[in-house]
Amino acid sequence: SLKGYARSGNSGATMKVSGRIHADLWGYPDPSPGVNGFETGDNNDPPAARLGFRRIRFGVAGDLWKNTLYKVEMEFAGGNDVEFRDVYLGLTELPILRTLLIGNQKRPYGLDHLNSSRYNVFIERPFVVEAFNQDARRFGICSYGVSEDEAYNWRYGVFNQRLIQDEGNYISNHWQCQIAGRLANTIWYDECSDGRGYAHVAVSGTWADTAGDQNTENYADSGINEARFRTRPEARTVSRWLDTGVIDGADDYSLLGLENVINVGAVQFCGEYEQVWLQRDAASELQFHGGYFYVSYFLTGEHMPWDRETGCLGRVVPFENFFLVDTCCDGVRGGWGAWQIAARYSRLDLADNDIQGGIGDSFTFGMNWYWNPYANVQFNYIYGNIYDNSLNAAGGIDDGDYHVLGLRFRCDF
Amino acid sequence: SLKGYARSGNSGATMKVSGRIHADLWGYPDPSPGVNGFETGDNNDPPAARLGFRRIRFGVAGDLWKNTLYKVEMEFAGGNDVEFRDVYLGLTELPILRTLLIGNQKRPYGLDHLNSSRYNVFIERPFVVEAFNQDARRFGICSYGVSEDEAYNWRYGVFNQRLIQDEGNYISNHWQCQIAGRLANTIWYDECSDGRGYAHVAVSGTWADTAGDQNTENYADSGINEARFRTRPEARTVSRWLDTGVIDGADDYSLLGLENVINVGAVQFCGEYEQVWLQRDAASELQFHGGYFYVSYFLTGEHMPWDRETGCLGRVVPFENFFLVDTCCDGVRGGWGAWQIAARYSRLDLADNDIQGGIGDSFTFGMNWYWNPYANVQFNYIYGNIYDNSLNAAGGIDDGDYHVLGLRFRCDF
Amino acid sequence: SLKGYARSGNSGATMKVSGRIHADLWGYPDPSPGVNGFETGDNNDPPAARLGFRRIRFGVAGDLWKNTLYKVEMEFAGGNDVEFRDVYLGLTELPILRTLLIGNQKRPYGLDHLNSSRYNVFIERPFVVEAFNQDARRFGICSYGVSEDEAYNWRYGVFNQRLIQDEGNYISNHWQCQIAGRLANTIWYDECSDGRGYAHVAVSGTWADTAGDQNTENYADSGINEARFRTRPEARTVSRWLDTGVIDGADDYSLLGLENVINVGAVQFCGEYEQVWLQRDAASELQFHGGYFYVSYFLTGEHMPWDRETGCLGRVVPFENFFLVDTCCDGVRGGWGAWQIAARYSRLDLADNDIQGGIGDSFTFGMNWYWNPYANVQFNYIYGNIYDNSLNAAGGIDDGDYHVLGLRFRCDF
């Protein structure tokens, strides 16, 4: 026994203690009256600036014996309102099912949701990815696999649709299940440059059975009809400006998503598109859709690494870490870290038929300064425009535009 | 300093980081109208199915210098509603007092409460153990000892009766103290087979001073009269179906408990009985009582280990762990893990005199599949019957019967 | 990889897992009717006794690469109401700025707040330190430095005034910033005796811009005018007995603090004084002030160590740790631990002009029994007297006196 070192609870367990801190500063200069209404319900009361924590997480993960794994990660940024994130146990090396996880885990659609918030290029995720997979994680059972040559990877499973990370349990007599999956192919990976060049395509989808007859909250906030799509303006606000509301009489919906990433050295191109078809009891089908495209570029020449096992972004490693030291004899010496710029165009259409939940267009300019592989600073400027949004309008103004400035300090350990 | 390893905060501290995940699925097919009323207050509204987390815990424990110990364990399964569990500091190796713990710890009665939820044979604990020692842990000071030959072990202490794991403090001018103790004797332990055969008897009890004049909630939900006994139907439900309510004018109560365990190889017999005598100011004495008996059997030949230091169940170790691997040349190979079946009969009588809090009979069939020493799956089928339960009845129906199906995935680390 | 040991999440991260447990018992014998009113709003309803947890903390901290650090520490003593404490990331070894931390951290005024609760001589901190820097930590960016000879140390930064450890974010269009700093000088440090003799002086201050026009709670309890000073009676009570309330029309305030510590072997003298000048829109300036003085003495000869890097108290190390062991042959053998006595006089004046928030005088006798460097017991007896407190009075009685008995078991790991 090594004195002064922390052990895992069982001798048969391996353990990693990990976490992240994301500290934010947000400002909303010059919003239009319609946008004031989306946020505060009052056309004269603008969105408030915000500072504080976006994520304060830590937790433990590891293996039990050879083929069982576990993970618990808590989110403490809400102060009194703690939530859990990844919480699961699972088996590995199974035939056919490969790795099988049981518990709270990300639903397998929307690349930018599957990308860790530690590695996202922009501060907040795009409209469509948040709207169609709000907060991503659900209680379910999901299989994860990868082909031997790492060209293909896939995940598929059954999930309950209720977000329970703040409640702990789903309590209802309507199961509200969904099946979901994603198949990804790394169609090109330049081994010689250790992955500075690659291309990825993926297709994902879900079929979700919603409780069309339950449009009000049941016991413990569980059991309500989960047919609702909504999102914030790719920035932290109090309200979700694009929001269909709970869709009355929604029986089920289907989603199809397409992903594409091309990376050539310091440059990355990435795009996604998702479409939802929703069936209603006594009214016509609804269709919602959206997508985004971004290009990013490292001024300092690094690249965005790719994880071929999961089909997701990896951790950026600067060529030279950032430091500034006052040496006794040589004056101040330093390293620059890595610098990246990026631009994103994003669109979401939640307005169809009688459900006018808004159409949003958003342009984001981003700049990231990576101090070292574990800490960085993100700056975003966003200009957006929303219309056809009568469901969330105040004072009859269903459109508006806005500017956002966002700054994030981000580290993980 | 070993890079990449976690240290304890003080060089003088040892530390174990441990935790557990219990993920549940519950269904309530075909309940009778009376049972609907116990759960929802409406004879036509049945208990809802439930899926989610029963326990998500992690925390730290260790020693400070040679003779001081500490433990903090948090329960995160409630989402926003975090609670603490074991939280104490203590001294060891004291004369007479042996190990002395100060803080939140289990009251020393009810064997199946003292058994860790990591090792319980059935998914949920029996009626009587839950009803007379709800949630087990209280703030107190308690001494733990064991005889040199490990034949005898004991614990006794003084506790406050308020459950504070959700509140942090008890705030009142009535102390509501109780003294409680347990003396256990491992009357037989087969050293040759390393404990495949053993027998255990124990007697436990408490005397609790309750605040008969405080029948309403005081500040911060503290200070109410703690004379109340209640429990769920040995399954996770929203309401507690057997419930005396807060007993008006309760001055104090006494409890006596008896335990017996006999283990012969793969077979275990276990039984407990507890009786409460409660004195009231202006009304007659009340008596409540209950007990249970179970038999369990390992189809694969393992046994339930016994911890002679604490007089509790230990960790099951399968002869062969469960695994399934697709080998290149030999096809799929695997190990079965350990399989156990068990049956429990349980009874609780909370109906006496004017307090008709219900009489329950419950039969449980259980099947446990141990993947390895740290992970397993539990399945329970329960049939139960409740009557004389006017205090919790809706629509005048004070009896009913029910079926429950429960599934738990359980691991600890 | 060392089996059974916990790793940090990143190979590039160092990690310490640390925490503390403070378990309390408080009694309020014989309070006067005025004091009853301050606490409960009813002159006949006295303060209630209290037992439970004052602090249950754990968290992680460490370095990322060579020059980035992180810390997350959670407070779990509130049960359901979890809060965060130190949560920051930062850079070290910078020219001029030295260590720069971004996140939730202590504002740099009030020595006894900067002293860790692990090392405070008295159970609770003095009036003035709590009143003018309630709960100490705020979201901000702060620089920490120390001179090469360790004679001088300093910290200065910009903070938001809102306490967000229970909320996570500050949301408002009035920034409510403050600048704050502290310059400390260890004017004498006896290296020969390894610091058994030393003297410390420091000056600290802040200028805080408050939102005079926002006297009601805004969204998410954020954005209210932060011009409010209040504190409990140097003991854990439900209400804060000295309280100016939110001061209408407060534009800004300034604070000046002075500190002095002299330590001669087992004896320590310590004093602080702080004054606040508050400017109002439409009314005259307000002045509030307070201070305290204490002397402490180790009966067993140890001393209070001093940390010259931060200008704060360090960890007491007993000459002989406390233990009691029943040896087979020699009878009971033991060590006494360290014993310290202390006396504190404290005063706070929150009554000026139309704001009669109370004047308090308090005398505390303390006795500390250190079991070992990591665990100890504190006992306090307090006698206090409050007057000119019409803002918090019930039944027209604006003065009163009280006695408090407090006991704390304290450990950290």
Side-chain angles (χ1 to χ4, degrees), chain C residues 201-389:
Chain C
V201 294
V203 56
S204 64
T206 189
W207 180 83
D209 179 28
T210 51
D213 52 342
Q214 283 171 266
N215 292 315
T216 49
E217 298 275 326
N218 284 6
Y219 170 76
D221 297 330
S222 286
I224 199 179
N225 175 3
E226 293 294 334
R228 178 180 202 169
F229 307 103
R230 53 180 179 169
T231 185
R232 294 190 177 83
E234 304 186 341
R236 293 308 288 179
T237 52
V238 173
S239 305
R240 289 181 169 88
W241 298 358
L242 296 154
D243 187 352
T244 64
V246 175
I247 298 171
D248 194 44
D251 268 346
D252 62 74
Y253 68 85
S254 309
L255 174 147
L256 182 71
L258 300 171
E259 309 167 15
N260 186 209
V261 179
I262 297 169
N263 197 88
V264 185
V267 184
Q268 176 160 108
F269 304 94
C270 175
E272 282 193 80
Y273 178 82
E274 290 180 18
Q275 164 109 16
V276 163
W277 296 265
L278 183 143
Q279 312 304 325
R280 294 188 285 182
D281 248 0
S284 60
E285 182 187 84
L286 294 171
Q287 295 190 17
F288 305 119
H289 53 92
Y292 70 91
F293 172 83
Y294 75 73
V295 53
S296 69
Y297 174 65
F298 276 98
L299 302 171
T300 43
E302 291 83 353
H303 74 289
M304 300 293 302
W306 192 251
D307 180 340
R308 285 179 288 172
E309 275 191 49
T310 59
C312 295
L313 289 179
R315 180 187 298 280
V316 169
V317 179
F319 288 154
E320 180 189 57
N321 287 345
F322 165 65
F323 67 99
L324 262 183
V325 183
D326 209 341
T327 61
C328 353
C329 22
D330 282 346
V332 175
R333 300 191 54 180
W336 278 102
W339 289 81
Q340 182 186 33
I341 53 172
R344 177 173 72 189
Y345 169 72
S346 181
R347 183 178 172 87
L348 177 67
D349 183 343
L350 292 183
D352 190 23
N353 218 308
D354 52 312
I355 304 295
Q356 294 290 305
I359 300 176
D361 288 298
S362 173
F363 169 82
T364 305
F365 168 76
M367 186 156 62
N368 299 330
W369 178 24
Y370 298 86
W371 292 349
N372 54 51
Y374 316 108
N376 54 66
V377 188
Q378 294 182 286
F379 168 79
N380 278 188
Y381 162 77
I382 304 167
Y383 171 75
N385 182 28
I386 291 174
Y387 53 99
D388 287 358
N389 195 13

Side-chain angles (χ1 to χ4, degrees), chain C residues 46-321:
Chain C
R50 168 187 293 250
L51 58 85
F53 292 100
R54 175 70 168 99
R55 293 183 181 91
I56 302 173
R57 293 196 195 161
F58 69 90
V60 292
D63 297 319
L64 301 169
W65 192 59
K66 297 175 184 171
N67 70 335
T68 318
L69 56 75
Y70 68 92
K71 185 173 180 188
V72 174
E73 187 169 43
M74 299 306 304
E75 171 60 84
F76 295 114
N80 286 175
D81 292 332
V82 172
E83 297 182 347
F84 51 80
R85 290 290 181 269
D86 279 346
V87 180
Y88 51 72
L89 58 100
L91 292 162
T92 58
E93 295 180 63
L94 295 171
I96 301 162
L97 293 171
R98 311 300 180 89
T99 295
L100 187 73
L101 302 186
I102 298 155
N104 212 47
Q105 53 195 311
K106 287 183 179 177
R107 291 186 292 196
Y109 43 95
L111 167 62
D112 216 40
H113 246 323
L114 304 183
N115 288 334
S116 171
S117 66
R118 298 169 298 166
Y119 308 148
N120 281 138
V121 172
F122 296 90
I123 301 183
E124 293 293 331
R125 293 182 170 112
F127 280 150
V128 66
V129 158
E130 268 294 346
F132 293 159
N133 191 2
Q134 189 195 322
D135 296 309
R137 287 180 188 83
R138 293 298 184 278
F139 190 92
I141 179 162
C142 190
S143 161
Y144 297 78
V146 60
S147 63
E148 223 164 299
D149 63 357
E150 295 195 302
Y152 288 90
N153 67 79
W154 58 87
R155 34 180 105 179
Y156 58 91
V158 183
F159 297 85
N160 170 257
Q161 291 171 61
R162 179 77 188 174
L163 183 74
I164 63 162
Q165 60 197 23
D166 56 340
E167 301 170 331
N169 286 278
Y170 174 77
I171 303 166
S172 168
N173 276 322
H174 192 302
W175 288 105
Q176 296 206 87
C177 277
Q178 68 179 123
I179 53 171
R182 175 181 185 248
L183 175 64
N185 184 1
T186 305
I187 52 181
W188 168 53
Y189 191 83
D190 186 43
E191 301 273 7
C192 303
S193 68
D194 224 13
R196 281 184 60 88
Y198 56 84
H200 155 90
V201 294
V203 56
S204 64
T206 189
W207 180 83
D209 179 28
T210 51
D213 52 342
Q214 283 171 266
N215 292 315
T216 49
E217 298 275 326
N218 284 6
Y219 170 76
D221 297 330
S222 286
I224 199 179
N225 175 3
E226 293 294 334
R228 178 180 202 169
F229 307 103
R230 53 180 179 169
T231 185
R232 294 190 177 83
E234 304 186 341
R236 293 308 288 179
T237 52
V238 173
S239 305
R240 289 181 169 88
W241 298 358
L242 296 154
D243 187 352
T244 64
V246 175
I247 298 171
D248 194 44
D251 268 346
D252 62 74
Y253 68 85
S254 309
L255 174 147
L256 182 71
L258 300 171
E259 309 167 15
N260 186 209
V261 179
I262 297 169
N263 197 88
V264 185
V267 184
Q268 176 160 108
F269 304 94
C270 175
E272 282 193 80
Y273 178 82
E274 290 180 18
Q275 164 109 16
V276 163
W277 296 265
L278 183 143
Q279 312 304 325
R280 294 188 285 182
D281 248 0
S284 60
E285 182 187 84
L286 294 171
Q287 295 190 17
F288 305 119
H289 53 92
Y292 70 91
F293 172 83
Y294 75 73
V295 53
S296 69
Y297 174 65
F298 276 98
L299 302 171
T300 43
E302 291 83 353
H303 74 289
M304 300 293 302
W306 192 251
D307 180 340
R308 285 179 288 172
E309 275 191 49
T310 59
C312 295
L313 289 179
R315 180 187 298 280
V316 169
V317 179
F319 288 154
E320 180 189 57
N321 287 345

Side-chain angles (χ1 to χ4, degrees), chain A residues 4 25 31 64 143 212 232 245 249 314 379 383:
Chain A
L25 190 63
L64 301 169
S143 161
R232 294 190 176 84
F379 166 79
Y383 170 75

Side-chain angles (χ1 to χ4, degrees), chain A residues 212-340:
Chain A
D213 52 341
Q214 282 171 267
N215 292 315
T216 51
E217 298 275 324
N218 284 7
Y219 170 76
D221 297 330
S222 287
I224 199 180
N225 175 3
E226 294 294 334
R228 177 179 202 171
F229 306 103
R230 53 180 179 169
T231 184
R232 294 190 176 84
E234 304 186 341
R236 293 307 287 179
T237 52
V238 173
S239 305
R240 289 180 169 89
W241 299 357
L242 296 155
D243 187 352
T244 63
V246 175
I247 297 171
D248 195 44
D251 267 346
D252 62 73
Y253 68 85
S254 308
L255 175 145
L256 181 73
L258 300 170
E259 309 168 15
N260 185 207
V261 179
I262 298 169
N263 197 88
V264 184
V267 184
Q268 176 161 109
F269 303 94
C270 175
E272 283 192 79
Y273 177 82
E274 290 180 18
Q275 164 109 16
V276 162
W277 297 265
L278 184 142
Q279 313 303 326
R280 294 188 285 183
D281 247 0
S284 60
E285 183 187 83
L286 294 170
Q287 295 190 17
F288 305 120
H289 54 92
Y292 69 93
F293 172 81
Y294 75 74
V295 54
S296 68
Y297 174 65
F298 276 100
L299 302 171
T300 43
E302 291 84 353
H303 75 289
M304 300 294 303
W306 192 252
D307 181 340
R308 284 179 289 171
E309 275 191 50
T310 60
C312 295
L313 289 179
R315 181 187 297 279
V316 169
V317 180
F319 288 153
E320 180 190 56
N321 287 345
F322 164 66
F323 68 100
L324 262 184
V325 183
D326 210 340
T327 62
C328 352
C329 23
D330 282 346
V332 174
R333 300 190 53 179
W336 278 103
W339 290 81
Q340 183 186 32

Side-chain angles (χ1 to χ4, degrees), chain B residues 364-387:
Chain B
T364 305
F365 167 76
M367 185 157 63
N368 300 328
W369 177 24
Y370 297 84
W371 292 348
N372 55 50
Y374 315 110
N376 53 66
V377 188
Q378 294 182 287
F379 167 78
N380 277 189
Y381 163 76
I382 304 167
Y383 172 74
N385 182 28
I386 291 174
Y387 53 99

